[in-house]
């Protein structure tokens, strides 16, 4: 079921007809179904949502949605939008933290285009004290993402970190490498449907790997982000940190906008740092479908939302 649901929603996420249909209804009004996971289609709406999130004691990272771009022009447009986002964030006075995907900046066109575009973002980001997290995409991109990350790290861009996925067999080795570099890791379970020669297929195996990697990161990583909504993973993190005298200021939890708000509040009340990943923009369909793949029960509110809007 765990891998099956992901595969099913992954297949649907490639349907142009479904994308058109969803785009028509998903964000139309304040009650539309995609708004549960997407803060807004514009930067201005998102800044407004960010302010109220910060007022609840949460930290944030903003993600301008987009991935798998196919032309140099699209990659350039996404890069310009990110540079504009930095400017808007500085002017709005909200937290300076963004997340991005390399296939949005042209990794699928050629590596040099992607590195150039990333540098165009990292330069102003560095000047204004931003932290920039590189999301991890499906396993076809893992090696290139880490190569690009290391290239920039060696060029002294130190305001960057990367996400690593517990589901992949290779990740322990990647965590050790990032710890050696002193780079910040966001640990996630992994949102993509992966073949069994590269990734665990059973939830119990992914969870066991997540706990092992969380411990490695807490013991010798640099301010890791433990990104999950799964209560047993959160409990394992709290107890490992507690047992080993690792202070609440030496790591943070991260969650996705719209998921498990109850848990976010409890952790903040207990003195933990919690950062919300806040996606926005018009290209929300693939991101949205991954959220359905993680929890097929979410389909219920989509259907109710569509019926309610007609
Ligand atoms: P799991 O899927 O086992 O869910 C545990 C519980 O959380 C569920 O029982 C439910 O209560 C709740 N829950 C989880 N997903 C839900 C949903 N969609 N809707 C409603 N409730 C839900 N992945 C990736 O491959 N690359 C990346 O760069 C990132 N980046 C990222 C950033 C941040 C801040 C987070 C929190 C997650 C990611 N992810 C990601 C996604 C990640 O890989 C994973 O798919 C999701 O976090 C779901 O896994 P959980 O750890 O929450 O556990």
């Amino acid at each position: 079921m765990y891998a099956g649901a992901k595969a099913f929603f992954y297949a649907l996420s490639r349907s142009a007809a479904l994308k058109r249909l969803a785009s028509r209804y998903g964000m139309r009004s304040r009650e539309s179904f995609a708004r549960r996971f997407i803060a807004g289609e514009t930067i201005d709406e998102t800044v407004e949502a960010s302010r109220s999130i910060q007022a609840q004691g949460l930290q944030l990272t903003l993600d301008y949605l987009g991935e798998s771009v196919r032309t140099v022009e699209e990659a350039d447009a996404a890069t310009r939008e990110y540079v504009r986002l930095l400017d808007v964030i500085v002017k709005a006075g909200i937290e300076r933290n963004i997340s991005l995907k390399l296939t949005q900046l042209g990794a699928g066109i050629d590596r040099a285009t992607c590195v150039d575009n990333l540098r165009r973002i990292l330069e102003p980001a560095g000047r204004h004290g931003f932290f920039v997290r590189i999301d991890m995409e499906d396993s076809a991109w893992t090696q290139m993402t880490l190569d690009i990350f290391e290239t920039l790290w060696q060029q002294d861009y130190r305001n960057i970190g990367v996400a690593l996925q517990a589901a992949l067999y290779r990740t322990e080795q990647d965590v050790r490498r990032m710890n050696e570099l002193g780079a910040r890791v966001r640990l996630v379970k992994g949102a993509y449907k992966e073949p069994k020669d590269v990734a665990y297929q059973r939830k119990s195996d992914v969870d066991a790997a997540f706990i092992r990697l969380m411990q490695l990161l807490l013991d010798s990583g640099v301010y890791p982000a433990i990104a999950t909504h799964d209560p047993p993973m959160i409990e394992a993190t709290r107890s490992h940190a507690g047992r080993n005298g690792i202070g609440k200021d030496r790591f943070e939890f991260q969650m996705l906008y719209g998921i498990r708000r109850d848990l976010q509040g409890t952790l903040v009340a207990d003195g933990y740092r919690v950062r919300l990943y806040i996606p926005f923009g018009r290209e929300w369909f693939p991101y949205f479908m991954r959220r359905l793949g993680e929890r097929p029960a979410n389909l219920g509110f989509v259907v109710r939302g569509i019926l309610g809007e007609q």
Side-chain angles (χ1 to χ4, degrees):
M1 176 62 193
Y2 188 60
K6 277 189 179 175
F8 177 66
F9 285 99
Y10 176 74
L12 288 185
S13 77
R14 303 176 77 83
S15 156
L18 193 59
K19 181 176 177 185
R20 271 197 306 279
L21 182 71
S23 303
R24 198 158 133 209
Y25 292 112
M27 296 286 287
R28 203 157 66 164
S29 72
R30 284 208 169 265
E31 287 72 43
S32 298
F33 59 85
R35 289 201 184 264
R36 168 157 174 205
F37 299 124
I38 318 297
E41 287 199 320
T42 65
I43 294 184
D44 292 339
E45 274 178 291
T46 309
V47 165
E48 203 184 303
S50 302
R51 286 213 173 93
S52 88
I53 285 161
Q54 281 192 294
Q56 297 161 44
L58 294 157
Q59 298 176 306
L60 50 84
T61 181
L62 292 193
D63 171 60
Y64 171 57
L65 290 163
E67 54 198 84
S68 310
V69 308
R70 288 176 208 282
T71 66
V72 173
E73 291 73 24
E74 284 174 296
D76 176 61
T79 305
R80 278 189 280 112
E81 200 55 23
Y82 262 106
V83 172
R84 189 167 87 85
L85 173 63
L86 300 179
D87 200 44
V88 174
I89 291 175
V90 169
K91 289 196 175 110
I94 57 174
E95 208 188 343
R96 300 179 182 190
N97 194 309
I98 58 169
S99 294
L100 49 78
K101 290 185 173 48
L102 294 187
T103 66
Q104 185 179 16
L105 304 184
I109 302 163
D110 72 276
R111 188 189 146 126
T113 303
C114 178
V115 172
D116 283 352
N117 286 338
L118 186 53
R119 275 209 208 92
R120 284 166 60 194
I121 297 168
L122 292 183
E123 285 295 338
R127 276 201 305 280
H128 293 290
F130 275 79
F131 183 75
V132 180
R133 177 80 62 181
I134 301 178
D135 289 345
M136 188 56 80
E137 300 178 70
D138 64 77
S139 61
W141 300 105
T142 313
Q143 192 58 49
M144 192 198 272
T145 303
L146 294 175
D147 287 348
I148 291 178
F149 180 84
E150 279 215 33
T151 302
L152 289 158
W153 186 265
Q154 305 304 352
Q155 292 171 7
D156 277 343
Y157 290 94
R158 294 294 153 90
N159 58 330
I160 53 176
V162 70
L164 294 177
Q165 300 153 330
L168 302 190
Y169 306 137
R170 60 173 285 164
T171 298
E172 177 170 341
Q173 166 200 323
D174 295 332
V175 162
R176 289 187 189 282
R177 177 65 186 149
M178 291 300 132
N179 285 353
E180 207 173 274
L181 289 177
R184 288 192 194 181
V185 171
R186 171 204 290 151
L187 180 65
V188 301
K189 287 193 189 179
Y192 299 85
K193 165 69 189 137
E194 299 289 356
K196 58 176 179 297
D197 57 321
V198 299
Y200 300 109
Q201 305 293 305
R202 292 202 318 235
K203 176 173 160 57
S204 55
D205 291 333
V206 176
D207 288 356
F210 191 96
I211 291 176
R212 280 197 307 276
L213 297 166
M214 170 276 288
Q215 293 177 346
L216 260 180
L217 285 165
L218 253 54
D219 293 346
S220 42
V222 183
Y223 193 73
I226 308 302
T228 179
H229 320 90
D230 197 6
M233 302 298 110
I234 292 172
E235 198 35 54
T237 307
R238 292 173 63 139
S239 75
H240 185 77
R243 270 198 317 275
N244 294 284
I246 298 166
K248 292 174 179 170
D249 57 344
R250 287 186 39 209
F251 65 97
E252 66 185 32
F253 287 109
Q254 294 191 353
M255 295 192 198
L256 299 175
Y257 176 82
I259 300 183
R260 295 302 308 255
R261 294 192 187 122
D262 53 335
L263 265 184
Q264 298 162 16
T266 313
L267 287 169
V268 170
D270 287 349
Y272 290 97
R273 296 180 178 178
V274 182
R275 184 178 304 282
L276 276 207
Y277 181 102
I278 306 181
F280 75 96
R282 295 179 62 82
E283 284 301 314
W284 50 263
F285 184 68
Y287 175 89
F288 178 74
M289 293 304 277
R290 286 195 290 277
R291 305 295 74 86
L292 293 189
E294 285 153 3
R295 191 161 180 271
N298 287 339
L299 200 54
F301 80 81
V302 174
V303 173
R304 281 193 300 279
I306 293 177
L307 294 177
E309 294 231 355
Q310 286 189 332

